[in-house]
Each structure stands twice: as C-alpha cells, then as structure tokens.
Amino acid sequence: MVTQLSKKQQNTMVLLLSVTYFVSYITRTNFAAIISEIENSTGVSKSLLSLSITSSFVSYGIGQIVSGFFGDSFSPKKLVKYGLSITVLMNAVLPFCSSPYLMAAVWCINGFAQAFIWPPIIKIMSALFSTSDYEKAAVKVNWGGSLGTIAVYLAAPIIISALSWKYVFLFSAIIGLAMIGLWGRCCYEPPMVLSSERNCPDVSKKTPFFTPLIGCIMLVIILQGMLRDGVTTWMPSLLLETYLMDGLVAILTGVLLPIFSIISFQVTSYLYRNIFHNPVFCSGVVFGVGACAAFLLARYSGANVVLSVACSALLTGCMHGVNLIMVSMLPAYFNKTGNVSTVSGILNSCTYVGSAISTYGIAVLTEKFDWSFTLHIWLLTAILGTIIALACARPWQKKMQLHA
C-alpha cells in the first residue's frame, strides 16, 4: 500500500532523494565531464579514454536490471547505501590508476555500483507517494541529476586550475562519503510489499512485459540514450576541435546542457500531465523537437559557436525529457504488478545501451571521419527515434485502455 506521510515528511523525502541523485551524478559524470582534460594531460587517445565511460555505461545498464530485480525483493534503502559505498571507493581509487585499461576496470565497477541507486529510488517513491505526488517527485528527483552535472561542470575547471584533474575524483569521493551518512540517518524505510492501492492503470499480472510494443519502446529509449549521453560527453571535444576553444572553457560550456535539461523536465512534465497524457506520444513530440535541434546543429556546424552550444543544449534537454517520461513515468503503469522497480531497471538499462554505443562510437567516428559526419548521424538517430515513438503511441493507448 501507499504509506501515508505528512506533507512535511513527503517534502523531506523528496529533498533527500533529490540530493542522493545529485551526488550519484557527481560521482558518475565527473569522468565524462573532464575527459578532454585527461586526454590533454595524459596524452592518452580519445578512443582509449572512452573505454572507461563505455564500460561504465555497459555495467550500469546491466546493473540496472540486477538492481531492479533486487529493488522489488530487498530493502531499497540498503541497496542505495551499498551502491554509494562502492562508488565512493572507486572515485577514490581512480586517480591512482596508471593505465587507461585500469581506469576502465575501476569505472566499470563504479557503473555497476551506481545502478543500485535509481531503481530503489523508484521503488521508494512508488511506496511512499500517491500517483500525482509520484509524478511531481519524479521530476524533482531528476532535477538532482541535472544539478549534479551542473556542479561537476562548474567545479571541475576550478579544481583542475588550482590542483589537477585527479582531485575532481577525490573531492567527489568525499561528497559521496558524506551522502552515505545522511542517507542512513534520514531515509524512511518503505514497506516491502505493496498492494494495488495506487491510482494508476491496471496492467494485469498475466500481461507479458516483453512484447513487440515494449521492444519498440525500448529501442526509442536506446536511441534517446545515444543522443543524451553521446552529446553530453563529447560536446566539449566538439567545441575544442571545431572552434579551437580553450579546454577548460569547453568544459565550462557543459553547464548549459543540464540547465536545459531542467527546463525540459518542467515542460515535458507539464505536456504529459496536462495535455498529452499518453507517455509514448509525448515522448515522440519531444523527440521531434530534438530532431529539429539536431538538424540545426548539423546544418550550421562550424558557423557559430553560440548556435552550436544552444542546439546541443536543446537536443540533450529534449532527450532528458524523453528519459523522464519513458524511465520515470511509464514504469508507474506496472505498479499493480508489484514489479515497478524491475520494469524501471530494464527500461533504464536501455538508456545505457545507447550511451555505451554512442560514447565509444562517436570517438571512433570523429577520429576516422570528422564532426560533420558525426552530427549527421545524430540527426538520423533523432529522426528515427521520433518516427518509432509516434508509431507506438496509438498501440500503447489501446493497450492501456484494455487494462484500465
């Protein structure tokens, strides 16, 4: 059942979950944020360094499925604590790695540990909040991830200038350690077993999860992940190589991407809750806006740095909006089956399949071809995601009507 909390207790839990997600992003996106600086400082090639991020995305995606299953069977509070503990250790160890392969191994473990944060958070929210409160809380918790990314992109240039890139990871570990103490003290332990009191569409327990429709939705999420994390990771390199910007300035421009993502969370949530109601159709519309941004980015690349940054920010912002709907909102439709954490983990893992493909793929593409070719690949990816999402909207609506 949904545990009744006072308004103050609900606000406290939303704040705690948001801060937890904030810290998880600090300890996860820091490598991607400064990869261009690590490349310049160590002389290691872009493709070799990208192995760390790629391996992290792969292990994170696999871990999402494992974590999702555990989140429906074990204490989500403990799972988050264990995940944070391992990620703190990996952030503390990485600066002492002597080779890119050792870095990749450490960051692979970090990715798997990070996976034990999101599905348990979804489980906690579904246990503690009503449907409307859940949807509002999901938006605010996603803010935490974007604000964490902003914090990394703002702090990293300062830390690198004063010390070195290695201290970015050490400071991240300290922040993560403090979060472990706060989590253990303040997190409310939700009941382990939920009944069907949530007011959401009833999806029968006999309804199979893996269907052609769900397969298409998973493909949309993969394409979203390719764009969201691919653009976020490599935009500083795009600016550095296309416009010959200073490395630290290029990193700093990454702040704009999560700012746009926060705006996208608000706009997408409003469109979903007040206008479209169908999560798949809403995702298709937002994906379409992202495709327009990708077109402008490809068409005018090299012409204007401000336009390139703005289009990149709009593109990633739209992908964050799609992710909010597909990974945060859509799993709530499966709450009555008692496996909302598992569904969330499976769908979120698709994001990081796309992330792994694009992070390594973009490094290879830009080394063998040029940025213009890569930007057109982004455009084709965005168009494909839009078409598939819109094509799935009506079948999803019919599926929900059958189980309403």
Side-chain angles (χ1 to χ4, degrees):
M1 62 181 177
V2 177
T3 301
Q4 295 299 316
L5 298 179
S6 68
K7 194 65 177 178
K8 182 178 180 180
Q9 289 174 320
Q10 285 191 22
N11 291 336
T12 299
M13 277 304 302
V14 171
L15 178 60
L16 178 66
L17 295 175
S18 299
V19 173
T20 303
Y21 207 45
F22 171 87
V23 173
S24 77
Y25 262 65
I26 286 178
T27 52
R28 174 155 55 97
T29 64
N30 45 11
F31 196 111
I34 64 172
I35 190 171
S36 58
E37 181 61 26
I38 298 175
E39 179 186 1
N40 292 335
S41 299
T42 63
V44 178
S45 71
K46 185 188 305 179
S47 56
L48 274 179
L49 286 175
S50 69
L51 286 175
S52 294
I53 304 174
T54 302
S55 64
S56 174
F57 284 150
V58 171
S59 63
Y60 186 83
I62 295 172
Q64 285 288 316
I65 300 174
V66 177
S67 172
F69 173 78
F70 283 166
D72 285 321
S73 307
F74 302 100
S75 165
K77 179 179 178 179
K78 290 181 180 179
L79 291 177
V80 173
K81 180 182 177 180
Y82 297 151
L84 284 172
S85 299
I86 296 174
T87 203
V88 165
L89 180 60
M90 294 303 102
N91 272 264
V93 167
L94 189 128
F96 302 99
C97 295
S98 56
S99 76
Y101 301 105
L102 190 56
M103 287 182 180
V106 168
W107 219 237
C108 180
I109 297 172
N110 184 61
F112 191 80
Q114 287 275 343
F116 283 79
I117 297 176
W118 179 250
I121 284 179
I122 289 290
K123 185 69 172 184
I124 289 172
M125 289 194 299
S126 67
L128 299 181
F129 304 131
S130 65
T131 299
S132 60
D133 289 335
Y134 171 94
E135 292 174 349
K136 295 174 184 176
V139 175
K140 293 177 181 178
V141 172
N142 275 279
W143 285 359
S146 296
L147 291 173
T149 304
I150 291 173
V152 168
Y153 277 94
L154 284 177
I158 298 173
I159 295 172
I160 292 170
S161 297
L163 299 166
S164 76
W165 63 266
K166 295 182 178 182
Y167 284 86
V168 173
F169 296 99
L170 295 176
F171 281 118
S172 298
I174 293 172
I175 294 171
L177 189 61
M179 187 66 236
I180 293 172
L182 182 63
W183 177 263
R185 182 174 180 177
C186 301
C187 182
Y188 184 87
E189 183 74 84
M192 293 299 296
V193 180
L194 300 179
S195 68
S196 57
E197 293 184 12
R198 279 258 328 255
N199 181 27
C200 63
D202 184 8
V203 181
S204 171
K205 291 185 179 182
K206 295 182 180 180
T207 301
F209 174 71
F210 291 106
T211 63
L213 174 60
I214 294 297
C216 289
I217 289 174
M218 292 170 70
L219 179 57
V220 171
I221 298 174
I222 290 173
L223 295 173
Q224 169 269 144
M226 290 175 64
L227 291 172
R228 190 194 71 172
D229 291 315
V231 177
T232 299
T233 300
W234 294 115
M235 192 192 77
S237 295
L238 166 65
L239 299 178
L240 185 67
E241 296 170 19
T242 303
Y243 298 101
L244 304 178
M245 294 180 66
D246 179 81
L248 295 182
V249 174
I251 293 174
L252 194 59
T253 59
V255 173
L256 291 176
L257 273 62
I259 290 176
F260 267 64
S261 71
I262 293 175
I263 297 173
S264 180
F265 289 148
Q266 293 300 110
V267 174
T268 305
S269 176
Y270 177 84
L271 291 175
Y272 169 60
R273 291 186 291 112
N274 297 284
I275 299 177
F276 297 127
H277 304 295
N278 183 328
V280 182
F281 182 76
C282 183
S283 296
V285 172
V286 176
F287 225 127
V289 176
C292 293
F295 171 77
L296 293 175
L297 182 61
R299 175 66 177 81
Y300 297 103
S301 176
N304 187 291
V305 64
V306 175
L307 181 61
S308 291
V309 172
C311 290
S312 297
L314 179 58
L315 176 56
T316 56
C318 289
M319 295 307 103
H320 276 284
V322 173
N323 186 265
L324 171 71
I325 299 299
M326 291 293 203
V327 177
S328 299
M329 304 298 188
L330 192 145
Y333 285 81
F334 294 85
N335 190 52
K336 287 188 177 183
T337 67
N339 62 346
V340 62
S341 179
T342 301
V343 171
S344 175
I346 292 172
L347 294 182
N348 203 19
S349 71
C350 295
T351 295
Y352 294 92
V353 171
S355 300
I357 293 171
S358 66
T359 301
Y360 185 74
I362 290 171
V364 172
L365 285 176
T366 54
E367 287 180 356
K368 289 190 175 182
F369 299 99
D370 56 22
W371 274 108
S372 177
F373 182 83
T374 300
L375 295 180
H376 282 86
I377 294 296
W378 289 355
L379 173 59
L380 291 176
T381 303
I383 292 173
L384 183 60
T386 303
I387 293 172
I388 296 175
L390 292 178
C392 290
R394 187 172 179 82
W396 175 265
Q397 189 64 34
K398 291 181 178 179
K399 177 183 177 68
M400 291 302 98
Q401 288 173 351
L402 287 174
H403 299 286

